[in-house]
Amino acid sequence: MLAVAGLVAASGGFFASAASAQGCANPSGTYTGEVPWGQRLVDPARLWPLTRGGGQLVAVVGTGVDAQNTQFAPGQLDSGAGTERTDCDGRGTIAAGIVGAQPDPSTTFAGVAPGVRLLPIRYTPGDGGDPGKLAEAIDRAADRRAGVILVAVPAAADSPALSAAVSRARAKGAVVVSAASATQQGARTYPTATSGVLAVGSVNRAGEPVQTEAGDYVGVAAPGAELVSTSAGAGGAVAHRWPVTDPGLAAAYVAGVAALVRAYHPELSGDQVVTRLTLTAHRPPSGGHDPRLGWGVLDAYAAVSSTLPADVPPPGAVPQAVPAPMVVPAAAPAPRPPDVPAGTIALAGVALAAAAGVTVAAVRRARRRAWRPTRFTP
């Protein structure tokens, strides 16, 4: 229990530990309720006819992953030096489930990208909160050629070693995803705030930011409150933990979608995947960057299916006088669930109305005009 308390304090997370006072994590049971709201919002099943993330290796850098939860397929969890297939705390198993748990008839919960392989690498603030230890974990993930590296437990401090590890991972083509999970005003987590990392904010079902951490480095937001996912301590069964509120888990949704994008667009570099995820997000009410929501809430369908030039610049690179380039999904997004915030529905409606007439040619036309201010017309 002391290790769990250290985890929560050092990461700044909201995570209500699944561990009991006597030992390790215990499941809430097998979840059989309605499809969890975060899963409905991301709606990965709509993308599975296109891709389930096959061929992608996602590293889950955190507290380990309980291989005895049978919602992970046989062989889905990689083993070998540096991996950890047990998880006393439980957070790593929850994050891994959001990324890649298999659909199962006994539950309505499923992961975003069930076709991926998962690489569980242990790092917890129980290591002393040493960013050097986190750097070693990221290096192990990059050495194993993980295409997506999810930092499920970010550190409270930065170091040259951690920044260098992120740079090495990106040079090898990895997408590094980390949650903005600090709870103290003005605090930052790392490598969340490190340049080149896809920093993830989190929202509740009302579309409101959950986390305190904020900054111009936040890229996108995803569900981070009242979540359902796989539980450690399953003992060879399908078992879940719910409801879980932790801003750190929003990054797991983004990592799963990043794996779907990589599988469907293998020609893209890691940085191009990050650009695609930020360009296709549902914009905040302001229409611009929000310090806690980034460029908006993750839109999995648009991220995977949109027609978008590989060399389109990220949102922040577009001059402020020019409207941000619109993207054209391959098909109209699925209707939002009833509990999606009204503001999100309004934004989606505007995007749908514009999508019929705005194409990628608008972006190219703007480039030819050297990004001089102009009005986008159908």
Side-chain angles (χ1 to χ4, degrees):
M1 189 63 177
L2 291 177
V4 175
L7 169 63
V8 176
S11 70
F14 290 27
F15 180 59
S17 171
S20 68
Q22 289 75 34
C24 294
N26 292 315
S28 302
T30 300
Y31 181 80
T32 57
E34 65 177 356
V35 176
W37 80 269
Q39 189 174 322
R40 295 200 310 272
L41 182 68
V42 177
D43 198 12
R46 191 173 180 212
L47 284 164
W48 292 344
L50 299 178
T51 176
R52 296 166 67 93
Q56 298 302 305
L57 178 64
V58 179
V60 181
V61 180
T63 62
V65 177
D66 185 358
Q68 294 190 48
N69 191 309
T70 56
Q71 207 168 353
F72 298 115
Q76 187 178 15
L77 269 62
D78 271 26
S79 58
T83 61
E84 184 51 72
R85 292 161 60 88
T86 63
D87 182 15
C88 179
D89 174 87
R91 183 187 289 196
T93 304
I94 294 172
I98 290 171
V99 174
Q102 303 299 303
D104 188 278
S106 67
T107 180
T108 55
F109 168 77
V112 172
V116 303
R117 290 180 297 120
L118 297 165
L119 178 66
I121 296 181
R122 185 184 292 283
Y123 164 80
T124 72
D127 293 321
D130 181 3
K133 295 287 187 181
L134 181 52
E136 293 173 3
I138 292 173
D139 277 334
R140 287 198 296 274
D143 288 345
R144 293 287 294 272
R145 297 295 178 183
V148 179
I149 300 175
L150 165 61
V151 181
V153 183
D158 196 10
S159 74
L162 182 54
S163 296
V166 168
S167 295
R168 286 191 291 270
R170 292 177 61 212
K172 292 180 178 180
V175 177
V176 182
V177 182
S178 186
S181 56
T183 57
Q184 294 183 347
Q185 197 69 40
R188 295 185 172 193
T189 50
Y190 295 90
T192 313
T194 302
S195 177
V197 171
L198 181 51
V200 181
S202 58
V203 295
N204 59 23
R205 66 174 65 208
E208 301 162 339
V210 174
Q211 88 285 359
T212 302
E213 184 172 352
D216 59 5
Y217 52 89
V218 177
V220 294
E226 299 179 75
L227 305 180
V228 178
S229 188
T230 45
S231 176
V238 172
H240 305 98
R241 191 75 191 175
W242 77 89
V244 179
T245 294
D246 180 4
L249 296 174
Y253 276 107
V254 176
V257 175
L260 294 178
V261 171
R262 300 220 77 162
Y264 196 66
H265 299 279
E267 75 284 359
L268 297 182
S269 69
D271 288 347
Q272 288 170 335
V273 172
V274 172
T275 295
R276 176 173 279 266
L277 291 168
T278 53
L279 276 176
T280 56
H282 290 289
R283 290 290 177 262
S286 67
H289 185 273
D290 182 278
R292 288 199 288 170
L293 300 177
W295 292 103
V297 177
L298 180 71
D299 186 331
Y301 189 83
V304 172
S305 67
S306 293
T307 300
L308 195 67
D311 61 348
V312 66
V318 179
Q320 292 301 312
V322 180
M326 299 291 292
V327 296
V328 183
R336 291 286 171 185
D339 57 4
V340 174
T344 301
I345 296 173
L347 287 174
V350 172
L352 285 172
V358 182
T359 67
V360 174
V363 177
R364 294 172 177 166
R365 185 168 62 250
R367 284 177 174 276
R368 290 196 298 270
R369 294 175 59 87
W371 296 107
R372 292 192 299 273
T374 185
R375 180 183 299 275
F376 281 79
T377 57

